[in-house]
């Protein structure tokens, strides 16, 4: 993996790398990629790509409400409990630094 | 500058990405209420807030609606569809990915036909895929406020090929599309409330040269703004090419206050969403009974409906346009016709007096007291000469106000038309006796004054005298 590829990958993951880390990680990640490279040697002609490890299909749910949302205090998912998990809450909104 | 002026020199290519909110009770992957306009963060749970360890599960109704739309758009339907994670960092999506579809959407390679300038146009559909909406943010001062009620709302995205040729044609297409999803009952098509949204990509090029440099256009909140945004953009691009300026591939926003498009901050890097199959949700393989259900959801689509109505009832394209715009109105029209009525009369009443009452009372035809049976009865009373057109208008208002059958209203209020020549003759003689001067003037050749007598006769009978008989008998007596 060259330096440019590494920096692109890091920025996609919102990681900031320092100069020293770039050289070290470049080498480490290149080794990991080499390891996975083995798989490309396998003959997969005519095989359908595996998208899921289990063969199960068609897990759907009926279109019904969970009634989580009516401030029912007995419900673990009630809004007050959920809002308590926000770092900063104002007027029932979660508040974060302006991202515009 | 009109579309055509751009088109004379350059060919325009427009493709759309249309998002529609599906009319489900609950969200796409959890049981939270899918509703617009509730208090912030009331319809949220660990699934749509992206808590670790939760298990999203596909809403069956949304899945069916996805296939229903794909089928109506003549797509090849997937026999094995699955969801993928579209990765991006933005706080409107707390999971840091949106669950969407990429490799195997519910439908691909379809088309939609619509009418533009009296021609049938065919627009190819690239794909139809299901996904979830993001939350809403309000930016205020140094803060951004997050409301996740909309996060996880079931969305269907329809992507067209760049087959549209102008802003005006695109507006017509969008209106036809909106009508179609309303016919199918999968979306209310309300662009003001954001239940239908659309981004466009547009490029121009010299005729025959194929697609040009693509610009993505966002923030157009009505079909009209879509037209104006595209018209502006086509002109801007034409001007640039005329001046030898190289166009860049970018995203621009329509500014509805300034009537222009503005370049969005260009990111240094092209988006790389790194799609991969959503491991928490197995693929969906529709079985025969699911496909049969999808088939059952198909309705006669607006374009076919319009042309059928024109053929079957002998009405004009313009009249059919009005009647078929809403499915419930087209259904209503056909119900009235089935009870025996004249198509022209039904159209005329629906588009004028009935519409006036509906607007006044702010109700739809189906909610109104004017059932197809009552409407047909009213027209029949008129046809049979029992009431005049003028009285019929009054009876119509009474039906709306009193929620009763027209025949009952006519009977109780004694509104039925007087068509007994003797009775009418007696009234005419009375009016003539009371207006001797006028009668004399008419007999001396002042025919214009006849209208005055007719008015007096109608007044005397409360508007109930059969007009044709009044004319005939009055003429005889004036000789």
């Amino acid at each position: 993996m060259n330096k440019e590829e590494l920096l692109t990958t890091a920025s996609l993951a919102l990681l900031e790398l320092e100069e020293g880390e770039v050289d070290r990680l470049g080498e480490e990640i290149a080794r990991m990629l080499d390891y996975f490279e083995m798989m490309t040697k396998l003959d997969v002609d005519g095989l359908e790509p595996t998208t899921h490890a289990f063969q199960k299909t068609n897990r759907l749910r009926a279109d019904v409400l969970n009634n989580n949302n009516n401030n029912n205090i007995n419900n673990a998912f009630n809004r007050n409990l959920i809002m308590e998990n926000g770092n900063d809450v104002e007027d029932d909104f979660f508040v974060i630094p302006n991202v515009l | 500058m009109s579309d055509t002026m751009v088109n004379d020199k350059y060919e325009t290519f427009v493709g759309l990405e249309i998002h529609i909110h599906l009319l489900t009770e609950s969200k796409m992957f959890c049981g939270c209420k899918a509703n617009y306009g509730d208090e912030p963060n009331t319809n949220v749970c660990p699934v749509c807030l992206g808590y670790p360890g939760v298990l999203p599960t596909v809403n069956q109704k949304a899945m069916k609606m996805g296939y229903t739309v794909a089928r109506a758009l003549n797509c090849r339907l997937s026999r094995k569809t699955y969801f993928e994670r579209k990765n991006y960092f933005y706080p409107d999506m707390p999971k840091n990915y949106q669950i969407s579809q990429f490799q195997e959407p519910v439908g691909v390679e379809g088309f939609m036909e619509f009418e533009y300038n009296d021609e049938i146009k065919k627009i190819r559909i690239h794909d139809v895929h299901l996904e979830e909406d993001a939350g809403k943010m309000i930016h205020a001062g140094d803060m951004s406020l997050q409301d996740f009620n909309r996060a996880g709302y079931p969305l269907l995205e329809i992507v067209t090929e760049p087959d549209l040729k102008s802003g005006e044609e695109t507006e017509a297409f969008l209106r036809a599309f909106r009508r179609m999803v309303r016919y199918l009952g999968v979306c209310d098509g309300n662009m003001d409330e954001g239940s239908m949204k659309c981004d466009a990509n547009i490029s121009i090029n010299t005729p025959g040269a194929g697609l040009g440099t693509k610009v993505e256009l966002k923030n157009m909140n009505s079909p009209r703004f879509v037209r104006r945004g595209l018209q502006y953009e086509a002109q801007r691009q034409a001007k640039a090419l005329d001046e030898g300026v190289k166009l860049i591939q970018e995203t621009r926003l329509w500014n509805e206050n300034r009537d222009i498009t503005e370049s969005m901050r260009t990111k240094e890097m092209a988006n790389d969403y790194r799609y991969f199959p959503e491991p928490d949700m197995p693929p969906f393989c529709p079985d025969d009974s699911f496909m049969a259900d999808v088939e059952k959801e198909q309705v006669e689509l607006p374009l076919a409906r319009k042309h059928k109505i024109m053929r079957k009832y002998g009405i004009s394209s313009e009249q059919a346009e009005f009647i078929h715009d809403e499915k419930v109105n087209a259904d209503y029209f056909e119900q009235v016709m089935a009870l025996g009525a004249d198509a022209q009369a039904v159209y005329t009443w629906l588009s004028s007096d009935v519409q006036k009452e509906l607007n006044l009372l702010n109700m739809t035809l189906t909610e109104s007291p004017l059932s197809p049976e009552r409407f047909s009865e009213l027209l029949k009373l008129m046809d049979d000469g029992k009431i005049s057109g003028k009285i019929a208008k009054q009876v119509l208002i009474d039906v709306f106000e009193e929620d009763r059958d027209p025949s009952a209203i006519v009977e109780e209020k004694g509104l039925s038309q007087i068509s007994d020549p003797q009775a009418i003759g007696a009234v005419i003689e009375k009016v003539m006796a009371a207006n001797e001067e006028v009668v004399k003037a008419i007999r001396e050749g002042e025919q214009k004054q006849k209208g005055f007598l007719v008015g007096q006769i109608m007044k005397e009978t409360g508007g109930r005298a059969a007009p044709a008989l009044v004319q005939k008998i009055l003429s005889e007596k004036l000789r």
Side-chain angles (χ1 to χ4, degrees):
Chain A
M1 176 178 261
N2 65 35
K3 191 174 166 184
E4 199 183 325
E5 283 171 336
L6 180 72
L7 290 175
T8 304
T9 310
S11 84
L12 284 171
L14 294 190
L15 292 176
E16 277 175 36
L17 299 183
E18 281 163 26
E19 202 47 46
E21 289 177 308
V22 174
D23 294 334
R24 184 170 55 81
L25 281 171
E27 196 194 311
E28 285 178 9
I29 290 172
R31 267 210 316 276
M32 291 183 214
L33 291 175
D34 286 345
Y35 181 72
F36 286 109
E37 195 66 17
M38 283 195 294
M39 286 201 285
T40 62
K41 297 196 174 74
L42 294 172
D43 178 14
V44 292
D45 274 1
L47 289 180
E48 211 182 302
T50 305
T51 55
H52 294 77
F54 299 106
Q55 292 306 306
K56 197 175 169 6
T57 57
N58 298 20
R59 184 167 55 79
L60 302 178
R61 44 170 268 276
D63 179 31
V64 284
L65 299 182
N66 59 12
N67 289 320
N68 283 343
N69 29 39
N70 49 12
N71 293 335
N72 177 357
I73 202 70
N74 295 319
N75 194 311
F77 295 162
N78 91 71
R79 182 204 193 185
N80 294 338
L81 282 177
I82 278 174
M83 297 308 288
E84 274 173 25
N85 288 332
N87 284 334
D88 191 0
V89 169
E90 197 174 301
D91 293 336
D92 301 324
F93 289 99
F94 294 105
V95 181
I96 57 168
N98 193 318
V99 293
L100 255 199
Chain B
M1 199 194 277
S2 75
D3 284 12
T4 30
M5 287 176 77
V6 173
N7 283 343
D8 282 347
K9 199 161 164 196
Y10 300 106
E11 212 175 340
T12 306
F13 303 91
V14 177
L16 297 177
E17 289 175 12
I18 308 171
H19 287 93
I20 57 171
H21 270 171
L22 296 174
L23 285 172
T24 56
E25 289 291 317
S26 65
K27 291 187 178 179
M28 188 70 216
F29 303 115
C30 62
C32 289
K33 195 159 110 191
N35 193 40
Y36 177 81
D38 282 345
E39 292 289 305
N41 294 309
T42 41
N43 305 324
V44 292
C45 78
V47 174
C48 53
L49 287 173
Y51 277 44
V54 295
L55 190 61
T57 319
V58 181
N59 183 330
Q60 184 164 14
K61 190 170 177 191
M63 181 61 88
K64 193 162 96 181
M65 285 176 165
Y67 272 89
T68 299
V69 172
R71 167 73 181 81
L73 290 172
N74 309 291
C75 287
R76 187 155 53 75
L77 303 181
S78 175
R79 280 289 175 178
K80 183 180 183 180
T81 189
Y82 59 86
F83 289 90
E84 304 204 38
R85 291 186 182 179
K86 178 180 180 178
N87 297 280
Y88 69 89
F89 286 108
Y90 198 62
D92 64 352
M93 195 58 105
K95 294 195 295 288
N96 292 335
Y97 57 84
Q98 177 194 32
I99 304 177
S100 181
Q101 298 197 291
F102 190 59
Q103 292 283 353
E104 271 297 335
V106 293
V108 294
E109 293 169 9
F111 65 88
M112 175 172 161
E113 289 181 322
F114 75 110
E115 218 169 11
Y116 177 60
N117 286 345
D118 296 326
E119 257 181 76
I120 308 277
K121 298 269 182 172
K122 188 169 173 175
I123 302 302
R124 290 170 301 152
I125 304 295
H126 179 274
D127 77 87
V128 174
H129 64 262
L130 284 162
E131 60 187 25
E132 56 178 338
D133 206 349
K136 200 172 119 183
M137 287 203 288
I138 300 166
H139 308 287
D142 57 354
M143 317 184 286
S144 290
L145 306 174
Q146 298 170 301
D147 170 12
F148 291 111
N149 280 349
R150 207 180 58 193
Y153 213 114
L155 271 188
L156 191 68
E157 178 170 341
I158 294 93
V159 183
T160 79
E161 298 287 355
D163 292 346
L164 292 153
K165 295 291 175 205
S166 70
E168 202 180 301
E169 186 180 327
T170 304
E171 181 185 17
F173 174 78
L174 262 184
R175 291 189 191 282
F177 182 86
R178 177 179 181 275
R179 193 183 278 148
M180 185 203 71
V181 294
R182 286 175 61 85
Y183 262 59
L184 290 169
V186 298
C187 176
D188 63 23
N190 197 332
M191 284 186 85
D192 295 338
E193 293 185 353
S195 47
M196 179 168 147
K197 282 185 216 161
C198 144
D199 296 335
N201 54 69
I202 171 171
S203 70
I204 65 167
N205 213 340
T206 44
L211 300 173
T213 304
K214 183 170 81 175
V215 165
E216 205 185 333
L217 216 52
K218 289 176 180 285
N219 199 36
M220 301 168 294
N221 303 324
S222 76
R224 193 168 60 95
F225 287 147
V226 171
R227 166 171 56 80
R228 291 171 59 186
L230 289 169
Q231 284 172 337
Y232 175 88
E233 191 52 27
Q235 286 157 27
R236 185 191 70 84
Q237 293 182 14
K239 189 161 170 276
L241 291 189
D242 283 347
E243 291 167 357
V245 179
K246 197 170 177 291
L247 290 164
I248 50 165
Q249 187 164 337
E250 61 178 341
T251 300
R252 298 177 71 89
L253 295 180
W254 170 246
N255 183 330
E256 62 182 60
N257 298 317
R258 297 181 58 198
D259 277 3
I260 58 168
T261 66
E262 294 166 322
S263 184
M264 252 174 96
R265 191 165 31 115
T266 11
K267 290 172 192 141
E268 304 111 59
M269 219 177 357
N271 276 330
D272 181 351
Y273 292 124
R274 293 150 293 143
Y275 284 95
F276 66 88
E278 165 60 82
D280 286 342
M281 272 181 290
F284 176 71
C285 305
D287 59 14
D288 290 346
S289 96
F290 181 90
M291 286 304 200
D293 279 351
V294 167
E295 214 51 50
K296 262 186 241 152
E297 294 296 318
Q298 300 303 311
V299 296
E300 188 175 28
L301 295 176
L303 187 61
R305 187 83 189 259
K306 180 184 167 188
H307 287 272
K308 187 192 83 181
I309 289 174
M310 285 167 65
R311 263 197 326 273
K312 194 166 167 189
Y313 305 107
I315 59 172
S316 71
S317 173
E318 212 172 297
Q319 293 172 331
E321 195 64 34
F322 170 80
I323 287 166
H324 95 299
D325 192 36
E326 294 287 344
K327 182 173 179 293
V328 285
N329 291 0
D331 291 346
Y332 183 95
F333 176 82
E334 294 214 78
Q335 282 162 24
V336 177
M337 293 306 298
L339 294 164
D342 173 60
Q344 290 299 329
V346 175
Y347 165 75
T348 307
W349 278 79
L350 279 182
S351 61
S352 55
D353 294 84
V354 174
Q355 195 57 50
K356 207 170 96 192
E357 281 305 302
L358 293 173
N359 292 346
L360 207 64
L361 300 168
N362 193 22
M363 53 169 66
T364 65
L365 195 49
T366 36
E367 314 168 327
S368 86
L370 188 71
S371 64
E373 289 75 20
R374 282 175 174 171
F375 189 27
S376 140
E377 187 183 284
L378 180 68
L379 296 175
K380 194 161 187 309
L381 285 169
M382 222 173 20
D383 253 10
D384 294 347
K386 293 217 174 76
I387 54 172
S388 67
K390 203 174 160 199
I391 295 282
K393 288 182 187 217
Q394 182 54 48
V395 174
L396 178 78
I397 294 170
D398 292 346
V399 170
F400 273 95
E401 279 174 6
E402 298 168 22
D403 192 5
R404 290 197 300 156
D405 291 346
S407 55
I409 291 167
V410 167
E411 190 159 330
E412 192 192 282
K413 301 195 173 172
L415 295 173
S416 58
Q417 191 157 271
I418 305 168
S419 41
D420 171 8
Q422 263 189 320
I424 290 177
V427 176
I428 290 175
E429 273 165 28
K430 190 177 155 200
V431 168
M432 283 170 72
N435 298 281
E436 280 176 2
E437 288 298 305
V438 180
V439 173
K440 191 165 164 254
I442 297 171
R443 287 191 170 133
E444 282 165 6
E446 284 214 42
Q447 287 297 320
K448 269 192 285 181
Q449 304 242 29
K450 213 172 134 185
F452 171 75
L453 290 185
V454 172
Q456 292 301 304
I457 295 159
M458 294 314 274
K459 199 172 159 195
E460 193 71 25
T461 58
R464 292 162 53 219
L469 264 181
V470 170
Q471 290 290 349
K472 182 167 167 275
I473 299 171
L474 182 62
S475 298
E476 283 167 11
K477 293 200 185 284
L478 283 171
R479 259 186 222 135

